[in-house]
Structure formats: C-alpha cells, structure tokens
Amino acid sequence: MTGEESLRPQSLMLTFLGDQVLGRDVCVYSGSVIDVFARAGIGEQATRSTLTRMVGRDLLRRQREGRRMYFGLTERSAAVLRDGERRIWQTGAVNRHWDGTWTLLGFSLPESWQRQRHDLRSQLTWSGFGPLFNGLWIAPGEVDVSALVAELGLSAHVKVFRAHADTGMDIGQMIEETWELSDLAGLYEGFVRRWQPWEDDLPDADDALVLRLRLQTEWLRIVRRDPRLPVRHLPDDWPADQAEKTFRSVHDRLSPLARDASERLLDLVPARPQA
C-alpha cells in the first residue's frame, strides 16, 4: 500500500481544515467538503461519518445556515492544526541545531500493568523517545512530558532528567541501537519517489487541491514519526533533507492552482461565536 492510498479520511480532513479554515474565522459547507473528498476518492458516506466522528471528538463544531450545515474549528482542533503547522514549516525535518542535551525518562510499573506500559511506550514513541534500555527511554533535546505522564496517571512511577553524553561515547551507534533508522529512512525515500515527478509536472487545477492535501498529509505523518535526531550523528546519506526539499518544491508548484480551485469549489461563511 502506498503512502497516498493509506491516508485516513480524518488525517486528510485535518489537513483540509488547516489549509482552508485555520486562522480565517470561517466555517465550510459540508457539500464542499464532500465534493473535494470525492475528488480524492473518498465516498460521501465516509466523508459524512468522518465529519460526525470529529464533532463527537470535539474536533469540529456545526453551524447551520438556512438549510445548509457548515463546519468550523474548535479550540482543540485549532491547537492540533497549529502544532502541525509548526512541525511542517518551523521545526522541519532536519535537526541541525542540537545543543547536546538529551531527555532521559525512567519508569518502573507493576508487572500486571500491561495496558499502562503499552500506553506509556506508545506516547513516548509519539513524542520522539526511543528505548535506551527496558525501563529507560531517551529523546534528543528538552522534551516536556509532564502533561503526557499526568494524563496517563503515571506521575508517581516516572522520573525525568536532562543529560549530556560522556566524552567518547559513540552517539551514532547509540542512535542506531535505539531507533529504527532504516524504517524512517524508507519513509523519506518513498516520499521522494512518489512526489519528485510533480516537481516537473502540473495537474489540472481541481486536482491540484487534492494533490496538495495528500502531499501535506503524508509529509506531516512522516515528520511526526521522526524524533528529529541530530543530523551530525546520522548516516551521511540521511534522506530527510532531500525529502523536505521535494515537499517544499512540490507544495510551491501546486499552491497557485490549489488556491484557484479552493476559491471555485468551497462555500465558506463567517464563523459565529459559540453559545
């Protein structure tokens, strides 16, 4: 399954909202969303159920205008989308400015707490940590995990430290033993293979909007999986830089056509204050 085919409707929906709604204080007509998603190969029923689920998860709010239903952002979805914007446009995929700091997190949980252990490991992986040893995880830079740990109810079982490696330690080898670099490199290389052709080709205007949604959704999914390890300790042929150049080049190429398409295809209204 290619990166494009495996994108979930909710991931595409969040990209669409970040693209068209975030920061504009507007709501978008459900029919417009259905039309755009149909062009992405997602059926009306799947799009409607995605909108309904996102309302239930406080990621969208409804606003009725006459006989039409419009959807706008909530505080929660706006925060998620702003974080995505930062990851794409500010943080970036290549960590060139690491100051040598690591965050170390140690935990000791009762043997019977298998679910809690699984949840903690999943959240740590999402936050850029890798398992240095069984109960000791490490991430580059200063990572604040206090809210994450508190939400899981594990504050009493977790200890967090900032640290620097001892002189002479082979950081590159430690990184290779702690993170699955080949998997991450494969994601970047696959991204370049799929998207580099669009640096030279131009799609139809309406297709450009959907292509840009897919491009951003796939790119964000990859960079969110990347712990942003210091590039000076990664292999010389690390593919993140080339992938990021491809992303920005294709995004710039698609954007004028995508903007034209969105102006034609989308029905937007001002967002009213929520009761």
Side-chain angles (χ1 to χ4, degrees):
M1 188 176 279
T2 70
E4 287 189 28
E5 290 168 344
S6 60
L7 297 176
R8 294 185 305 126
Q10 181 171 302
S11 300
L12 277 175
M13 188 73 73
L14 285 168
T15 301
F16 173 79
L17 295 165
D19 225 25
Q20 305 297 333
V21 178
L22 183 66
R24 299 177 66 186
D25 206 23
V26 295
C27 296
V28 59
Y29 171 46
S30 59
S32 297
V33 182
I34 289 165
D35 184 16
V36 170
F37 276 54
R39 295 165 193 269
I42 297 170
E44 179 175 346
Q45 190 54 48
T47 302
R48 287 190 184 279
S49 63
T50 300
L51 291 169
T52 301
R53 280 198 306 272
M54 291 177 71
V55 169
R57 295 180 60 199
D58 191 32
L59 291 169
L60 282 178
R61 66 183 185 89
R62 293 186 176 98
Q63 178 172 307
R64 183 174 289 283
E65 300 285 340
R67 302 177 75 173
R68 290 190 161 192
M69 186 64 75
Y70 292 74
F71 290 85
L73 300 179
T74 62
E75 285 186 16
R76 183 183 179 201
S77 55
V80 170
L81 294 173
R82 281 193 295 268
D83 176 67
E85 258 190 348
R86 279 193 298 272
R87 292 297 292 264
I88 290 176
W89 299 111
Q90 294 171 29
T91 308
V94 183
N95 186 353
R96 296 185 178 88
H97 307 295
W98 179 63
D99 65 359
T101 303
W102 296 93
T103 299
L104 286 171
L105 182 145
F107 63 89
S108 179
L109 305 180
E111 201 61 42
S112 60
W113 287 19
Q114 292 181 357
R115 181 184 58 78
Q116 290 92 330
R117 187 177 286 104
H118 170 77
D119 290 348
L120 177 59
R121 286 172 172 164
S122 297
Q123 291 293 325
L124 290 177
T125 300
W126 180 252
S127 300
F129 283 80
L132 190 60
F133 298 109
N134 190 28
L136 183 64
W137 288 55
I138 188 169
E142 296 192 12
V143 183
D144 183 2
V145 291
S146 54
L148 177 160
V149 172
E151 189 175 325
L152 292 173
L154 297 177
S155 299
H157 301 271
V158 170
K159 302 290 186 288
V160 182
F161 303 87
R162 310 288 182 219
H164 286 77
D166 201 8
T167 305
M169 197 187 93
D170 189 336
I171 293 175
Q173 182 180 344
M174 182 273 287
I175 284 173
E176 288 192 19
E177 292 170 350
T178 305
W179 284 274
E180 295 286 348
L181 290 187
S182 60
D183 290 353
L184 188 57
L187 291 175
Y188 281 124
E189 289 160 356
F191 182 89
V192 172
R193 280 195 305 273
R194 279 188 292 281
W195 290 102
Q196 215 167 33
W198 291 108
E199 292 189 77
D200 300 313
D201 291 342
L202 272 178
D204 293 337
D206 291 357
D207 291 337
L209 178 58
V210 169
L211 267 176
R212 194 176 67 164
L213 287 177
R214 289 192 177 281
L215 173 79
Q216 289 180 239
T217 304
E218 187 180 341
W219 181 245
L220 182 58
R221 186 178 65 172
I222 295 172
V223 296
R224 278 203 161 130
R225 286 187 58 176
D226 188 342
R228 298 194 76 251
L229 297 159
V231 70
R232 67 175 178 265
H233 294 295
L234 290 170
D236 291 339
D237 59 351
W238 188 245
D241 186 51
Q242 177 58 56
E244 186 161 61
K245 286 175 180 171
T246 297
F247 166 75
R248 289 176 179 263
S249 172
V250 175
H251 188 277
D252 287 348
R253 194 161 169 78
L254 293 175
S255 285
L257 288 172
R259 276 195 297 270
D260 290 347
S262 64
E263 287 174 10
R264 283 197 315 277
L265 298 172
L266 302 185
D267 174 7
L268 304 171
V269 297
R272 294 196 302 268
Q274 290 181 269

